[in-house]
Amino acid sequence: GQQLNQSPQSMFIQEGEDVSMNCTSSSIFNTWLWYKQDPGEGPVLLIALYKAGELTSNGRLTAQFGITRKDSFLNISASIPSDVGIYFCAGQGAGGTSYGKLTFGQGTILTVHP
Amino acid sequence: NAGVTQTPKFRVLKTGQSMTLLCAQDMNHEYMYWYRQDPGMGLRLIHYSVGEGTTAKGEVPDGYNVSRLKKQNFLLGLESAAPSQTSVYFCASSYSTSVGFYEQYFGPGTRLTVT
């Protein structure tokens, strides 16, 4: 099946630092998504990207949909302790027969030291 | 609105036992999904449903069965549990927008251990 490679696997940073993580795929996706998962909970959508080259922000988060449609990155600026969690990228195929099915990356575990 | 709820939250099974995980959503969503999450592997799709009475296989369907008898409920069954099915199971539901995007809403998960 399709594979998404997400890196880095984990990050340990100081509060206030910026964070960057990325995702690459062997296949093209029509939509790229970034989720955050807090301990003991399900993933929550942070940002959705619909067009190749699109750059979208949500507060301190910025994400981009790669031109080739095979990659995406997420930046978090000025990290705070509540940013701790697991961040997942996910790709979604074309509408029609994809029925919204998601392919997930392996996740990036973020730890923020106060 | 409760959103997506899952029952139970935790369960321990012995090898060979059976069980059913229940997912319920109150958002009137057409599409529902079951994922499993294992360390270092992200979430992988087990089965999904595009409407009441319909189900389809996802990426890792072996050893699982599902049913969608009512629009709001999606059941995941393990007929004969194996240690390899130890995992955290997430249910999600979604709707389609006019631009063909499906935003998935996830439940809190069920942690299953098979000994």
Side-chain angles (χ1 to χ4, degrees):
Chain A
Q2 294 174 324
Q3 298 262 334
L4 291 188
N5 293 311
Q6 186 173 347
S7 63
Q9 289 187 332
S10 61
M11 303 183 73
F12 299 84
I13 62 171
Q14 292 293 127
E15 183 176 358
E17 289 183 352
D18 297 344
V19 171
S20 184
M21 56 192 81
N22 67 79
C23 215
T24 58
S25 169
S26 56
S27 305
I28 289 172
F29 288 107
N30 282 10
T31 305
W32 279 93
L33 306 149
W34 286 91
Y35 284 84
K36 183 189 179 205
Q37 184 180 27
D38 291 326
E41 298 188 11
V44 174
L45 182 65
L46 297 174
I47 289 182
L49 302 153
Y50 307 104
K51 286 171 43 178
E54 180 182 356
L55 185 71
T56 296
S57 293
N58 179 6
R60 294 179 295 106
L61 277 60
T62 302
Q64 183 155 31
F65 190 147
I67 288 290
T68 64
R69 295 202 282 156
K70 292 184 176 182
D71 62 307
S72 177
F73 72 75
L74 175 71
N75 286 342
I76 305 173
S77 62
S79 59
I80 59 178
S82 62
D83 289 335
V84 165
I86 306 177
Y87 290 79
F88 291 100
C89 62
Q92 192 170 88
T97 59
S98 81
Y99 300 116
K101 291 179 288 182
L102 295 176
T103 300
F104 281 85
Q106 303 96 322
T108 295
I109 301 172
L110 179 63
T111 303
V112 180
H113 294 289
Chain B
N1 278 359
V4 179
T5 58
Q6 293 183 233
T7 310
K9 292 193 186 325
F10 303 93
R11 186 70 187 268
V12 178
L13 287 179
K14 294 190 189 308
T15 299
Q17 287 184 321
S18 64
M19 78 163 294
T20 300
L21 281 66
L22 171 64
C23 176
Q25 53 96 2
D26 61 2
M27 297 173 282
N28 201 35
H29 287 169
E30 284 295 329
Y31 309 96
M32 297 187 75
Y33 315 83
W34 275 107
Y35 294 89
R36 61 177 288 172
Q37 182 179 23
D38 301 296
M41 298 190 73
L43 282 79
R44 292 180 293 167
L45 183 65
I46 304 172
H47 286 279
Y48 65 101
S49 168
V50 302
E52 183 178 317
T54 70
T55 63
K57 294 180 181 179
E59 181 187 351
V60 288
D62 293 342
Y64 305 95
N65 57 74
V66 288
S67 64
R68 183 109 180 259
L69 299 180
K70 292 183 179 181
K71 186 177 183 178
Q72 64 266 35
N73 295 337
F74 195 26
L75 278 62
L76 178 71
L78 285 74
E79 290 185 348
S80 179
S84 61
Q85 294 177 304
T86 293
S87 188
V88 182
Y89 292 86
F90 287 99
C91 176
S93 70
S94 76
Y95 64 97
S96 65
T97 69
S98 58
V99 295
F101 170 60
Y102 301 70
E103 178 171 350
Q104 292 193 17
Y105 294 81
F106 285 83
T110 294
R111 186 175 295 274
L112 175 67
T113 302
V114 183
T115 62

